[in-house]
C-alpha cells in the first residue's frame, strides 16, 4: 500500500505564533505524521505536544540495520494473543527504532514496506508492546474515526529503586 493514496491535502495548523504543516489531519482532529528522514528527539516532542492527538508513521527502510534488528527482535521474543491480535512484549532498547521512538507516549507505526505496519501500542516500565497490523485496516479505521486495537497507552513511568532494608 502506498501512503500517498491515503493522504488528503496537508493542513496548516497554528497555535500562538507557531505554525506547522501536517501530513494528514482527520475531521476529528487526529494528525498522522509520516517521518522518513532523521529527526531530533526535541523536534519530535515539540511536534507531538503541538499536535496533541497524533500517530507517527516511521519509515523502517531508511536504515538497512532497522529491518535486521526488527526481525531478530521478533524471532527472540514470544507473542501472546490478546483480543485477536498477536502482541510482542519487548525491551525498550532492543532496537534502534525502539530507543528513538519507544518512550514517546503516542502510537507509533513502523513501516518496513510490506502490507502491515508494526504498531508500538503501549509501554509499561521498560517493556514495549508491538503488533503487526494491516495498512489497509489502519487506513480504514482512521478514515472512519474508529479506534485502533490498543490495549492501553500511557507515557512510561520511571521507577527508581528504593534502598534495601538491612536486617
Amino acid at each position: 500500500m502506498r501512503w500517498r493514496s491515503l493522504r488528503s491535502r496537508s493542513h496548516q495548523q497554528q497555535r500562538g505564533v507557531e505554525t506547522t504543516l501536517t501530513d494528514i489531519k482527520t475531521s476529528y482532529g487526529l494528525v498522522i505524521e509520516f517521518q522518513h528522514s532523521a529527526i531530533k528527539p526535541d523536534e519530535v516532542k515539540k511536534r507531538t505536544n503541538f499536535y496533541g492527538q497524533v500517530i507517527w508513521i516511521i519509515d523502517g527502510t531508511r536504515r538497512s540495520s532497522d529491518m535486521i534488528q526488527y526481525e531478530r527482535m521478533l524471532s527472540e521474543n514470544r507473542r501472546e494473543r490478546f483480543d485477536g491480535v498477536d502482541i510482542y512484549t519487548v525491551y525498550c532498547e532492543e532496537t534502534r527504532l525502539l530507543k528513538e521512538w519507544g518512550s514517546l507516549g503516542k502510537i507509533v507505526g513502523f513501516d518496513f514496506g510490506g502490507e502491515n505496519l508494526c504498531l508500538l501500542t503501549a509501554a509499561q516500565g521498560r517493556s514495549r508492546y508491538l503488533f503487526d497490523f494491516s495498512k489497509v485496516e489502519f487506513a480504514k479505521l482512521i478514515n472512519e474515526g474508529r479506534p485502533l486495537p490498543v490495549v492501553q497507552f500511557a507515557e512510561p513511568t520511571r521507577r527508581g529503586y528504593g534502598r534495601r532494608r538491612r536486617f
Side-chain angles (χ1 to χ4, degrees):
M1 170 178 226
R2 308 279 303 159
W3 286 115
R4 289 192 191 280
S5 66
L6 296 179
R7 290 187 182 187
S8 57
R9 59 188 169 83
S10 295
H11 297 277
Q12 192 173 20
Q13 286 192 319
Q14 188 169 2
R15 289 188 186 156
V17 294
E18 189 174 8
T19 301
T20 187
L21 204 60
T22 63
D23 290 322
I24 295 176
K25 183 175 182 188
T26 65
S27 59
Y28 52 92
L30 174 66
V31 171
I32 310 291
E33 272 294 295
F34 295 90
Q35 191 62 41
H36 172 71
S37 56
I39 186 170
K40 294 181 179 181
D42 289 346
E43 181 63 20
V44 172
K45 289 239 182 218
K46 180 177 160 186
R47 289 188 197 180
T48 299
N49 292 335
F50 181 79
Y51 296 138
Q53 192 180 3
V54 62
I55 296 175
W56 287 86
I57 305 297
I58 310 307
D59 183 354
T61 64
R62 184 174 69 87
R63 294 181 297 232
S64 59
S65 61
D66 287 336
M67 180 62 146
I68 295 165
Q69 290 177 2
Y70 168 74
E71 288 176 339
R72 184 178 60 229
M73 174 189 65
L74 293 186
S75 72
E76 293 173 354
N77 289 281
R78 65 183 176 90
R79 62 181 187 236
E80 294 182 44
R81 195 103 175 128
F82 186 83
D83 281 350
V85 177
D86 290 331
I87 298 177
Y88 290 85
T89 303
V90 299
Y91 177 62
C92 67
E93 295 186 2
E94 199 154 344
T95 70
R96 194 166 168 187
L97 285 173
L98 285 176
K99 287 178 190 176
E100 294 167 350
W101 295 93
S103 296
L104 189 58
K106 298 289 181 180
I107 296 172
V108 177
F110 301 112
D111 185 357
F112 292 103
E115 296 299 314
N116 293 327
L117 285 173
C118 174
L119 289 180
L120 170 61
T121 62
Q124 185 175 28
R126 298 184 65 76
S127 296
R128 302 295 178 264
Y129 304 97
L130 302 168
F131 63 92
D132 281 341
F133 195 70
S134 161
K135 291 178 186 176
V136 172
E137 186 66 16
F138 175 86
K140 180 181 173 188
L141 292 177
I142 296 299
N143 285 331
E144 294 173 357
R146 294 178 26 217
L148 296 171
V150 177
V151 179
Q152 136 199 5
F153 202 89
E155 193 161 345
T157 56
R158 293 184 184 226
R159 293 185 180 192
Y161 291 99
R163 295 180 68 142
R164 277 201 233 177
R165 287 175 68 178
R166 294 187 180 212
F167 295 104

